[in-house]
Amino acid sequence: HPASKQRSEGEKVRVGDDVIFVSVATERYLQATKENSQSIVNASFHVTQWNVSPFGTGLSRLKNQPCVFGNDVLRFTHAGDECLTIPSSWSLESSETNIIVYEGGSVMQQARSLWRLELARTKWAGGYINWYHPMRIRHITTGLYLGVKEDSNDLCLLPKEEATLAATCFYLREVKDDNKVILEDKDLEVIGVPNVRYDDVTVIAQHMETGFWLSYKAYQVKKKNVGLVEEKRLLLHEEGRMDDGCEFARSQDEEARTARVIRKCSALFNSFIVGLEVMINSKSTETFLQDCNLTEMVGSLDDLNNYFVQPEDDLSHEDRQKFLKALRNRQDLFQEEGILNLILDMIDK
């Protein structure tokens, strides 16, 4: 229903309108509220106004499928045989382990190399990714943002509370030059034009606040059972390198969805294990029951059972093969990210 007198029932809903959502079955209103510092959405007799904001258009995606859009999940490929990722030993605990690298090999099919591009200053969150449009780069399996800390030019992943626009905003450039282009608001508040394409356009990322380029530095690192190997660690550099350009590789819908499931499971199960350890050490269940939502934990395990369920017997041979292929891909991604081991650790605890 329209929430203002400027619109009447039966009129077209337009961007910027205030609306009220009403359940047909119960005639209750869709409401957003806070419970124990958590934002929840439910049905209520209290009226809540919602504002209609644009995301994207189905026609623009249909006509320009090779183009990169806001909120797309993708990989940054570099030099054809490596991609932007976090190392398998990554940890948020210290600057030595919170690093970003270019890595080749099997990681190019793993979930830890997936990123999402989020447009930072536009109403059209699902609009085209354009040159000079501020954007943030979010890592899928950790949910953290690519950024830089104040005291360093080394790139790392930042949690939401530290991920300010100044620290995490980049824009894409076609070439390296000293021209600083600042788009006006009217140029940022549009859906954009389709000029950045997958596997076709080489892009160079520039950090907005410092003007430095997304580049790397090669180190010789000793790895167990391998010996000395070259590790390309990402940083911001005033001039950068000749080969700083990257291309975008589209992710499969299935692996993007699985990566988001991995992030949720990792956060939930790690929190559960930490809570158990605190409870054992303190010999008190009070804080554990406050910090860990057991209902959510049981629900997640039920969801995982359904997520990895075997195909039905009455499926056709072709549909069964497709189902089994998708199931194997999910299992492989979970195994590579260590989630299966995490679940086993949780059961052991």
Side-chain angles (χ1 to χ4, degrees):
H1 296 291
S4 69
K5 295 180 180 179
Q6 295 177 345
R7 295 271 186 268
S8 58
E9 301 231 2
E11 277 193 65
K12 288 182 179 179
V13 179
R14 303 182 187 278
V15 169
D17 280 357
D18 290 327
V19 297
I20 299 167
F21 293 102
V22 185
S23 168
V24 175
T26 64
E27 295 189 354
R28 294 188 181 188
Y29 302 104
L30 186 68
Q31 182 197 33
T33 185
K34 286 241 179 199
E35 281 189 8
N36 299 326
S37 75
Q38 283 191 330
S39 297
I40 63 168
V41 176
N42 58 17
S44 170
F45 290 110
H46 296 284
V47 176
T48 298
Q49 289 189 12
W50 300 80
N51 185 262
V52 179
S53 296
F55 176 79
T57 68
L59 186 61
S60 63
R61 286 182 173 269
L62 188 63
K63 283 187 172 181
N64 300 283
Q65 291 184 12
C67 293
V68 185
F69 290 83
N71 284 343
D72 275 5
V73 177
L74 45 74
R75 289 183 174 90
F76 288 76
T77 60
H78 179 258
D81 60 352
E82 56 189 17
C83 64
L84 188 72
T85 183
I86 60 174
S88 56
S89 58
W90 180 89
S91 169
L92 190 60
E93 293 176 0
S94 74
S95 58
E96 292 299 316
T97 55
N98 185 4
I99 60 174
I100 316 297
V101 298
Y102 283 131
E103 188 178 322
S106 60
V107 72
M108 298 185 75
Q109 282 79 45
Q110 293 177 6
R112 62 185 168 100
S113 60
L114 292 174
W115 305 82
R116 183 167 68 207
L117 304 184
E118 298 182 358
L119 289 166
R121 288 189 58 202
T122 176
K123 289 179 180 176
W124 295 85
Y128 298 107
I129 295 291
N130 282 176
W131 309 115
Y132 300 108
H133 277 226
M135 67 174 191
R136 302 206 291 175
I137 304 169
R138 192 174 192 182
H139 189 245
I140 294 297
T141 55
T142 62
L144 306 179
Y145 289 92
L146 180 68
V148 61
K149 293 190 175 179
E150 295 179 2
D151 56 349
S152 170
N153 284 333
D154 290 336
L155 287 167
C156 61
L157 293 183
L158 299 174
K160 200 170 185 179
E161 54 273 13
E162 296 178 24
T164 62
L165 290 178
T168 59
C169 260
F170 295 83
Y171 50 47
L172 301 180
R173 301 285 301 272
E174 294 179 87
V175 295
K176 286 183 182 177
D177 55 41
D178 295 330
N179 297 333
K180 191 166 185 180
V181 178
I182 300 177
L183 297 180
E184 296 181 12
D185 287 345
K186 65 182 179 65
D187 297 318
L188 292 171
E189 295 296 324
V190 295
I191 194 171
V193 293
N195 53 21
V196 179
R197 296 172 178 269
Y198 286 104
D199 303 315
D200 182 39
V201 175
T202 299
V203 301
I204 305 168
Q206 186 176 24
H207 190 247
M208 285 191 59
E209 184 71 12
T210 62
F212 287 4
W213 304 97
L214 189 72
S215 188
Y216 69 90
K217 185 175 181 180
Y219 294 87
Q220 291 294 321
V221 179
K222 192 172 183 179
K223 292 195 175 182
K224 190 178 180 181
N225 300 328
V226 179
L228 285 176
V229 296
E230 185 181 69
E231 181 179 83
K232 294 179 179 178
R233 190 175 297 186
L234 273 289
L235 48 73
L236 294 179
H237 196 275
E238 190 173 2
E239 296 179 357
R241 292 170 170 261
M242 293 288 290
D243 63 342
D244 282 339
C246 292
E247 292 182 351
F248 292 130
R250 191 196 303 268
S251 73
Q252 300 297 320
D253 290 342
E254 179 66 38
E255 66 176 351
R257 191 180 306 114
T258 302
R260 290 192 287 269
V261 175
I262 287 171
R263 180 179 71 203
K264 177 65 176 177
C265 291
S266 178
L268 192 61
F269 297 159
N270 276 314
S271 172
F272 184 79
I273 290 172
V274 170
L276 279 177
E277 291 173 348
V278 171
M279 182 183 71
I280 292 168
N281 294 332
S282 64
K283 294 183 173 57
S284 171
T285 60
E286 186 177 347
T287 55
F288 175 73
L289 295 174
Q290 287 177 352
D291 296 339
C292 296
N293 188 331
L294 297 181
T295 304
E296 186 179 16
M297 176 66 65
V298 173
S300 295
L301 291 172
D302 285 339
D303 289 342
L304 285 178
N305 283 332
N306 294 328
Y307 199 57
F308 291 108
V309 72
Q310 292 294 315
E312 299 286 344
D313 294 333
D314 57 352
L315 285 179
S316 67
H317 177 73
E318 185 179 351
D319 289 342
R320 186 180 179 82
Q321 291 304 111
K322 287 180 181 177
F323 192 103
L324 287 172
K325 183 179 179 182
L327 182 60
R328 282 194 296 271
N329 289 339
R330 291 176 199 169
Q331 292 170 340
D332 289 344
L333 286 170
F334 264 71
Q335 179 69 45
E336 289 154 359
E337 297 301 320
I339 301 300
L340 297 183
N341 291 334
L342 188 61
I343 294 173
L344 293 174
D345 287 346
M346 188 180 66
I347 294 171
D348 290 340
K349 292 285 185 181

